[in-house]
Amino acid sequence: MEESNSTTTNSIRKFRRGITHSGIFHTDDIASTAFLLLLNPDLEIVRVTDIKASDAAPDEIVYDIGLGEFDHHQPGRRMAEPDVPYSAFGLLWDKYGRELLAEQGFYEIEQAHKLFAETIVRCVDIGDNKGYKNVKGFYENLLITRFTPMWYELPEGSSPEDIEETERVYSRQFWNAVDFTTLLFDNWMRDLWLKVEAAPQEKRIFEEALAGLDHGILELPRYIPWRQHLDPTTDIKLVIIPHERGGYAVTTVDTDILRLRPNPHFTFVHPSGFMATAPTLEEARAGARESIRR
């Protein structure tokens, strides 16, 4: 990612401590914690059984507990959509998300902020308020909740010592989940960059290649996710792309229409017939043309 063309004062850095609830955790408080630490790695995170946000010090930020600005369990809670309340993560993203995007080097910050809210944050909002079984396709929640301690990992009793040990187990898994979600955040940001900042360049690469379309063979100078640019009215049968392991790959658009077969120009043909490789661009072109002639 490139360096941003705008600067911002990171208001999360004014906080010394972040406070959230102890015990069982969900995608909401895990994603919130990972997000806050991305903005302020020096933030001390404390998990407590009870707190009122109004009692927090000026340098403490309370989230997903305390009935304050970044909680969503109180009457009159803010709504992300008419029937979807914000989660704590949603509330934090709404206020501080632009700061992370600026630090990540985004230029189209409003577009990126809105798209991330719609594709990632809203899944957490819905899941935490209505149940994650109602969120289709958001597999991150399943991965994060897998970190929840199993029943057999927890003490059997309810003595003070057992309660203390229970929280130690939850705390350990909480931080494992935060570390994992920090990696997810990196992938989320990379995907967001692809969809927002890299999209015009990607479209330009495809359109320039399309102008040179030759008998149904499209040549791309580098890999891009080309299938999303296909137009049913354009007669593209094969796509030639530089192969990441050297040489060139020839890929079919639809194996029901054209399945690749071995020929002298290809060094490898996948048994399913959807792709082949050639050592040079000239061989890839020749192999592609022979495949179409067949």
Side-chain angles (χ1 to χ4, degrees):
M1 297 183 188
E2 301 174 22
E3 190 172 320
S4 174
N5 62 352
S6 64
T7 58
T8 182
T9 300
N10 190 335
S11 55
I12 289 293
R13 295 194 185 278
K14 71 184 179 184
F15 295 111
R16 176 179 58 87
R17 178 181 291 130
I19 302 174
T20 191
H21 62 83
S22 59
I24 194 167
F25 49 82
H26 304 96
T27 303
D28 187 14
D29 46 312
I30 296 294
S32 296
T33 303
F35 172 57
L36 289 172
L37 289 172
L38 283 172
L39 282 169
N40 183 0
D42 296 326
L43 192 69
E44 178 192 4
I45 302 298
V46 178
R47 303 178 75 230
V48 299
T49 56
D50 188 37
I51 188 176
K52 291 182 179 178
S54 56
D55 293 337
D59 61 353
E60 294 176 331
I61 181 169
V62 181
Y63 59 99
D64 207 31
I65 192 175
L67 306 182
E69 182 179 3
F70 302 110
D71 195 10
H72 62 109
H73 299 101
Q74 63 269 51
R77 55 190 176 174
R78 288 181 58 200
M79 306 296 287
E81 295 176 2
D83 61 340
V84 179
Y86 279 107
S87 63
F89 183 43
L91 293 165
L92 288 165
W93 178 260
D94 188 56
K95 184 164 184 175
Y96 297 115
R98 294 171 183 83
E99 296 179 12
L100 179 63
L101 294 171
E103 289 195 359
Q104 293 280 318
F106 281 82
Y107 289 82
E108 301 297 333
I109 288 179
E110 287 303 320
Q111 180 186 352
H113 186 269
K114 182 174 184 291
L115 181 59
F116 189 80
E118 292 171 347
T119 56
I120 300 295
V121 179
R122 202 66 69 239
C123 293
V124 181
D125 292 338
I126 296 170
D128 207 65
N129 287 290
K130 296 188 172 186
Y132 282 98
K133 65 180 182 296
N134 297 311
V135 183
K136 306 302 181 184
F138 190 65
Y139 304 109
E140 288 89 336
N141 174 63
L142 176 61
L143 295 171
I144 292 169
T145 54
R146 284 278 175 87
F147 286 90
T148 303
M150 307 297 179
W151 64 265
Y152 57 80
E153 297 174 313
L154 301 172
E156 295 183 19
S158 58
S159 68
E161 292 78 12
D162 287 334
I163 292 173
E164 185 176 344
E165 175 60 21
T166 295
E167 182 51 31
R168 274 198 294 268
V169 176
Y170 271 112
S171 182
R172 181 181 68 245
Q173 290 302 98
F174 173 89
W175 285 110
N176 286 337
V178 169
D179 288 343
F180 175 75
T181 305
T182 301
L183 295 177
L184 287 181
F185 245 106
D186 182 62
N187 279 341
W188 288 337
M189 290 293 107
R190 291 171 56 245
D191 185 63
L192 190 64
W193 183 275
L194 174 70
K195 293 174 179 175
V196 175
E197 302 294 344
Q201 180 186 5
E202 181 182 299
K203 183 178 180 182
R204 184 169 62 251
I205 290 171
F206 184 85
E207 290 179 346
E208 289 175 356
L210 190 61
L213 184 66
D214 180 24
H215 294 88
I217 302 172
L218 182 75
E219 289 184 19
L220 290 167
R222 61 184 298 182
Y223 173 79
I224 59 170
W226 49 268
R227 287 189 182 275
Q228 66 188 36
H229 297 283
L230 293 178
D231 185 333
T233 64
T234 305
D235 187 24
I236 301 174
K237 294 183 175 66
L238 295 173
V239 178
I240 299 176
I241 306 174
H243 197 277
E244 69 273 9
R245 286 180 284 178
Y248 289 79
V250 181
T251 306
T252 60
V253 171
D254 188 343
T255 53
D256 290 334
I257 296 174
L258 178 61
R259 186 182 298 270
L260 292 171
R261 307 292 182 189
N263 69 51
H265 305 285
F266 292 149
T267 54
F268 169 79
V269 178
H270 195 280
S272 299
F274 77 93
M275 68 85 67
T277 58
T280 66
L281 179 57
E282 290 70 24
E283 293 283 10
R285 288 169 175 167
R289 285 194 295 267
E290 182 165 331
S291 296
I292 288 179
R293 282 197 300 270
R294 288 184 179 181

